[in-house]
Amino acid sequence: MPVNATPHRICSLFSLALLLIVASLPVLADTHPGQSALVQEVARDTGKDPAALNALLDQAQMQQSILDAMNRPAESKPWSAYRPIFLTQKRIDDGVAFYRANRALLERIGQQYGVDPQYIVAIIGVETSYGRVTGKYKVLDALVTLGFYYPKRAPYFRQQLKTLLELPDSQLAGPLSTLTGSYAGAQGWGQFMPDSIRDFAVDEDGDGRIDLMNSLPDILASVANYFAKHGWVAGGPVAARAQADGAAKPLGDWQSKPQWPLEQLEAWGYAPFQHLNPGEPTSLLTLAGMSGSEQWFTFNNFQVITTYNRSPMYAMAVHQLAQAIMDGVHDADNGGGAQ
């Protein structure tokens, strides 16, 4: 040691050298803003390896096309333009054929869960054209894009991404990095978000895995279980046309939860086109149809459909498709229509 060196000076020189070394190292930033915090939460809650979680998220890419799609949803269209998207003759005919091809399974599941089977078929018809169009986006890309780069709804999609990372392999159709779905990150024929996979998807075929892409029993039973858990009443009314008289009382904005007994709406000037239970709780929905304003009574089962997608136009499309499918099935049973 030089005679003029002191322990304090040596320590200072060492600290300076260490700082210079650290400063020269590359800064390890998050691949996506907020990634580290999310990884820490998932690792804490599940015990999963943070390095493996980071490796998964590092693969995900922000997709501008997903952000663009979120800003032009079909639900922004009026009913007159929205209905023709889903109530095509092909979609109806395909639904009839699907119902008849899988009738025993559908009706067993419908009875098991207390859900009218034509509505199970209509959901997968509206969502994915009976499994043909399940989405081309990587689920990780979709949820990373919306959870980290879409401030308008980032908290919701960040939660969905967290749930996805926490799901066990047995609840996914394949390795997480390979999963594809919609631009919103929904998966399978029924387009379940991760929270719905966790809470409502079921292993109906008993093979130890929930597969919403390849197992028809799992797919159909999961939709039925979702409806059942949200309060579907088998055989109950969904929606019915109403006729407003010239002095009908204005009722303000539609509410998804039934607001009044039907007889109250009748007293206010809204008459049903068919016989219905006068005590049935209902709300009044007005849609901009092809021939002008349409009034509809909506009931508990309609509200259940809106928990799947909150748009009343979506729920009406599912309802009308289900009715058209059932009519087609009956026609085919009686020797006409689709075979």
Side-chain angles (χ1 to χ4, degrees):
M1 177 185 297
V3 293
N4 61 344
T6 65
H8 176 74
R9 184 181 178 195
I10 293 171
C11 183
S12 297
L13 290 172
F14 177 78
S15 298
L16 179 60
L18 183 61
L19 286 172
L20 291 172
I21 292 170
V22 170
S24 68
L25 294 175
V27 177
L28 298 178
D30 285 356
T31 302
H32 307 287
Q35 177 174 321
S36 293
L38 178 62
V39 165
Q40 289 173 11
E41 291 174 29
V42 174
R44 178 197 65 209
D45 293 346
T46 65
K48 290 187 175 182
D49 177 22
L53 293 168
N54 272 312
L56 269 175
L57 293 174
D58 288 346
Q59 296 175 35
Q61 298 181 4
M62 192 279 281
Q63 301 283 354
Q64 183 61 44
S65 59
I66 291 173
L67 299 177
D68 295 341
M70 288 296 292
N71 291 320
R72 54 170 190 272
E75 284 77 8
S76 63
K77 301 176 185 293
W79 175 239
S80 58
Y82 185 91
R83 185 182 188 278
I85 297 173
F86 300 104
L87 271 295
T88 64
Q89 194 59 52
K90 176 172 173 52
R91 202 180 301 253
I92 294 168
D93 291 345
D94 288 349
V96 173
F98 182 89
Y99 190 110
R100 298 188 77 216
N102 300 284
R103 189 172 203 151
L105 176 63
L106 274 164
E107 294 183 354
R108 177 183 66 75
I109 286 173
Q111 184 174 25
Q112 177 182 343
Y113 290 93
V115 176
D116 305 79
Q118 66 268 33
Y119 286 89
I120 304 172
V121 177
I123 283 287
I124 63 172
V126 166
E127 291 289 346
T128 62
S129 292
Y130 314 102
R132 286 196 297 271
V133 186
T134 57
K136 63 181 181 180
Y137 290 99
K138 287 190 173 182
V139 172
L140 272 176
D141 285 358
L143 294 179
V144 162
T145 297
L146 296 172
F148 293 143
Y149 301 95
Y150 188 58
K152 183 178 178 181
R153 295 189 64 194
Y156 170 76
F157 286 106
R158 184 186 186 278
Q159 175 58 43
Q160 296 304 314
L161 177 58
K162 182 175 185 287
T163 300
L164 178 71
L165 295 171
E166 292 176 344
L167 287 173
D169 293 344
S170 61
Q171 292 186 13
L172 297 171
L176 200 153
S177 61
T178 69
L179 298 176
T180 57
S182 75
Y183 64 80
Q187 302 170 52
W189 290 29
Q191 293 290 274
F192 272 34
M193 294 298 287
D195 279 0
S196 290
I197 295 175
R198 179 194 64 201
D199 296 338
F200 306 110
V202 294
D203 175 21
E204 186 68 19
D205 62 16
D207 68 352
R209 174 182 290 276
I210 295 172
D211 188 343
L212 300 183
M213 283 293 291
N214 305 294
S215 169
L216 197 54
D218 290 2
I219 292 163
L220 301 178
S222 294
V223 173
N225 187 51
Y226 182 98
F227 273 26
K229 290 293 196 297
H230 283 85
W232 186 270
V233 177
V238 179
R241 281 298 299 269
Q243 176 67 52
D245 65 32
K249 177 181 177 179
L251 297 178
D253 293 339
W254 172 78
Q255 301 292 320
S256 61
K257 183 177 181 180
Q259 300 293 298
W260 309 279
L262 178 63
E263 58 191 355
Q264 179 63 73
L265 287 179
E266 290 188 73
W268 286 339
Y270 300 93
F273 280 32
Q274 64 195 77
H275 175 72
L276 294 163
N277 174 9
E280 191 75 41
T282 187
S283 287
L284 189 78
L285 173 66
T286 300
L287 295 174
M290 292 288 292
S291 302
S293 181
E294 300 176 4
Q295 278 75 42
W296 291 85
F297 298 119
T298 64
F299 304 98
N300 171 77
N301 285 348
F302 191 91
Q303 181 190 10
V304 171
I305 302 173
T306 65
T307 68
Y308 210 97
N309 180 312
R310 64 186 177 183
S311 165
M313 291 189 296
Y314 173 92
M316 188 61 73
V318 169
H319 169 59
Q320 292 190 6
L321 180 58
Q323 287 189 313
I325 288 169
M326 207 67 244
D327 288 344
V329 169
H330 290 154
D331 287 346
D333 289 348
N334 292 326
Q339 298 296 319

